Amino acid sequence: MRKKILNTLALWLIPPIGALLIRLIYFTNKKYFHLPQVIPTEPVVFAFWHGDLLLQPYLYYRFRTVPKANVLISEHFDGQIIAAVMRYFKLGTIHGSTRRGGAKVLIQALKSLAEGYDIGITPDGPKGPRHEMSDGVVIMAQKRHAKVIVYSCVPSSYWQLPSWDRFTVPKPFGRLDFYASEPIDLEGMEMEEAKALVKARLMEHAF
């Protein structure tokens, strides 16, 4: 009972505070965006490492003036917190993992793509190993003939939490470089080849 009460309080308190802190970090830094030459109008799969999740909504806004995306989020309690924060940035969520019980969440993601939603996914989430690819990105892209765009945010100074993903929190009053790759076409590629390609692009700005 006590745990339930504490979780309820956390879900009420943490998301608005978290959203405020994200905005403060963003607006107190100088921003530089490195975008692809051509931004697809059709739905795409956006991929970014779990530890680099914090400021990605702002990069997404550079692609879509009207946000229309669902982000795959863990079913665990921390995933509920993240989902609540995402709602402050007008982003929807799909709860589940492409690693465990993946069929259900993949069906939901494929349905969202068919309905015109972009899909955001952390291919090493929800529990790692860090910077190791799951199959979900490739399956979604190939099933829906969608392009993949990888995201990175590189801060000039930052804190890294002692978590499995080394979750990165940029410090204020520095510089943020946002990178988005050119659209990646995975059509006709074998699973391991496609995963290696996406991982290589993700690692270009990883730290």
Side-chain angles (χ1 to χ4, degrees), residues 52-87:
D52 193 19
L53 185 152
L54 193 67
L55 296 178
Q56 298 305 346
Y58 287 106
L59 182 50
Y60 179 71
Y61 290 155
R62 289 284 167 146
F63 281 81
R64 307 292 190 223
T65 53
V66 178
K68 189 177 181 181
N70 287 322
V71 182
L72 271 61
I73 299 292
S74 164
E75 292 179 309
H76 299 100
F77 180 70
D78 57 348
Q80 296 178 45
I81 296 287
I82 294 170
V85 173
M86 290 295 102
R87 286 195 286 272

Side-chain angles (χ1 to χ4, degrees), residues 132-159:
E132 290 298 326
M133 294 281 298
S134 65
D135 297 345
V137 172
V138 178
I139 293 171
M140 288 187 291
Q142 292 184 341
K143 289 284 187 182
R144 283 288 177 258
H145 309 287
K147 301 294 192 300
V148 175
I149 296 178
V150 304
Y151 277 3
S152 299
C153 175
V154 181
S156 58
S157 59
Y158 55 88
W159 298 282

Side-chain angles (χ1 to χ4, degrees), residues 24 29-30 39 64 72 84 102 115 117 133 138 156 166 169 207:
L24 284 173
N29 274 279
K30 294 180 179 179
I39 297 175
R64 307 292 190 223
L72 271 61
E115 292 172 346
Y117 285 85
M133 294 281 298
V138 178
S156 58
R166 304 292 293 159
V169 180
F207 52 93

